[in-house]
Amino acid sequence: MAKEEDHRKKLHIAMFPWLAFGHMIPYLELAKLIAQKGHQISFISTPRNIERLPKLPPNLSPLIKFIKLPLPHVANLPEYVEATADATERQVVLLYKAFDGLQEPITRFLESSKPDWLLFDYAACWLSNAARNLGISSAFFSIFIAAGLGFLSSKSPGDRVSPEDFMVRPKWVPFPSTVAFRRFEILRIFNMLIEVHNGVSVLKRLVEAMRSCDIIAVRSCWKFETEWLRLLEDLHQKPVIPVGQLPPMPFLDEDEIDKWRSIKQWLEQQQKSSVVYVAFGSEAKLSQHELTQLALGLELSELPFLWILRNESSDSDPVQLPTGFEERTRRRGLVCMGWASQKKILAHDSVGIFLSHSGWSSVVEALQLSKALVLLTVSNDQGLNAKVLEEKMVGYVIPRDENDGSFTKDAVAESLKLVMLKEEGKVYRDKAKEMSLVFGDRDLQDRYVDNFLGYLETHK
């Protein structure tokens, strides 16, 4: 009888992230944490995206079922484009149109499988109403942190019509905060944010997702974003539940183990806490000028560095390292093309600081391992993330021209030396260690997932 009762308590949860790896990966991490508790997950995406996701640990494979929905054909969108990483800026608009074409097949799947809960992303703002009509509860699961959601929240998204409107603290934020975009940050994404993509702008999708769902689940925790989480509750008048920071589970397949061995061999030859680790995630793309200044800044700093450089051959305009850079720095620097295990690299004793785009998955990995942050934002919500980290003295932002975002090799070199070596950078090194007590506390993060599941179990 007890076993039967335990079985009845297990949930079936469907997940549907936006077609970007910066969204799919956190969704998958949450799926793995939920599956560890014995619940069943249906993870919905397109075939090519599912094939490119990290492999599951064998013990979780029976509990996470991948549902492959072919992406509808859209004129001028190449067949291989199934994620933002595959797309040019113009093609992203078409990707939204194709994504919206999944509404009918995913509704049919929900109707036939009848999950207890649906976790959906902002782009699928239309899905919560379909779920409600089928008697399925829905949660908007935001991979954006609470500060980003709070900054972008608005009952009337049409109120903000110019870049300047996104460069100041919104009127609905009642506490002091510097969280806002810099001019060059908002100019890079302004059209994407407010222009209509297949009838709905990104900002309107986000606001509608928060309005239409039953609850809002946020990749955050109370100890880090207390004021912003409370603000979201006040603004939206519904439960706002942090699910923790979702630090990735360590799991490497054989190919990744082989690549890690060669990187580890190089790291073993470096002094403790001496290496600058440089990586900009799977999708952030630097311009040729930015990459050149970054490389020359690394060279000028004279610090040891490990640079994981993703310069895909499929890029329409691939960038190149400065002529002779690798030869000049080979005694103290290593450039690796393609993917590498970031968690393994950051965990190594020789890594001292992390130069990053402030994508939140990278931030989480760094802070759980006490690595100080030097930040160079590229796009999307990274500017808001960087402001939060700067406010809390957790990350140092490389100085840039506020209008065009340009920076110099000297700014890069001085920023790295400040955080790595100088007395005035000690606060960033100390804060990173302090934050590891939150971001790196597996028991604490596990309790957030338990609390979230407790709500889902009692309100299905």
Side-chain angles (χ1 to χ4, degrees), residues 163-177:
E164 288 74 19
D165 294 331
F166 293 88
M167 294 167 58
V168 295
R169 186 182 74 191
K171 59 189 177 184
W172 55 84
V173 177
F175 47 83
S177 175

Side-chain angles (χ1 to χ4, degrees), residues 131-270:
R132 186 173 293 110
N133 291 338
L134 295 170
I136 299 168
S137 300
S138 70
F140 163 46
F141 170 42
S142 170
I143 62 99
F144 307 117
I145 62 174
L149 278 188
F151 180 86
L152 293 170
S153 289
S154 175
K155 296 296 183 184
S156 304
D159 287 348
R160 290 191 277 192
V161 296
S162 71
E164 288 74 19
D165 294 331
F166 293 88
M167 294 167 58
V168 295
R169 186 182 74 191
K171 59 189 177 184
W172 55 84
V173 177
F175 47 83
S177 175
T178 61
V179 173
F181 288 107
R182 290 177 286 179
R183 179 175 292 277
F184 71 88
E185 290 168 339
I186 188 59
L187 287 178
R188 289 185 178 186
I189 65 170
F190 182 69
N191 289 340
M192 179 193 74
L193 200 61
I194 69 163
E195 281 189 356
V196 168
H197 293 162
N198 200 36
V200 191
S201 72
V202 167
L203 190 58
K204 284 184 178 178
R205 286 176 191 261
L206 182 63
V207 172
E208 175 61 18
M210 289 187 278
R211 185 202 67 78
S212 63
C213 65
D214 294 305
I215 64 171
I216 299 172
V218 189
R219 185 185 190 179
S220 187
C221 56
W222 286 107
K223 287 190 175 183
F224 189 73
E225 293 192 285
T226 307
E227 290 178 316
W228 288 103
L229 286 165
R230 285 178 177 156
L231 173 64
L232 288 173
E233 288 182 329
D234 291 341
L235 286 174
H236 300 287
Q237 293 296 299
K238 62 182 61 177
V240 174
I241 305 176
V243 300
Q245 296 293 353
L246 307 181
M249 290 184 189
F251 177 71
L252 296 177
D253 63 26
E254 288 303 316
D255 292 339
E256 294 162 2
I257 290 171
D258 288 342
K259 188 163 189 178
W260 164 241
R261 284 197 188 106
S262 63
I263 292 173
K264 183 182 179 184
Q265 186 176 16
W266 183 86
L267 289 171
E268 295 287 312
Q269 299 168 17
Q270 313 306 316

Side-chain angles (χ1 to χ4, degrees), residues 330-350:
R330 65 184 175 86
R331 294 186 183 278
R332 61 176 176 83
L334 178 64
V335 179
C336 292
M337 295 292 183
W339 190 91
S341 174
Q342 183 158 284
K343 177 74 179 294
K344 288 276 191 182
I345 292 168
L346 286 167
H348 200 280
D349 285 346
S350 67

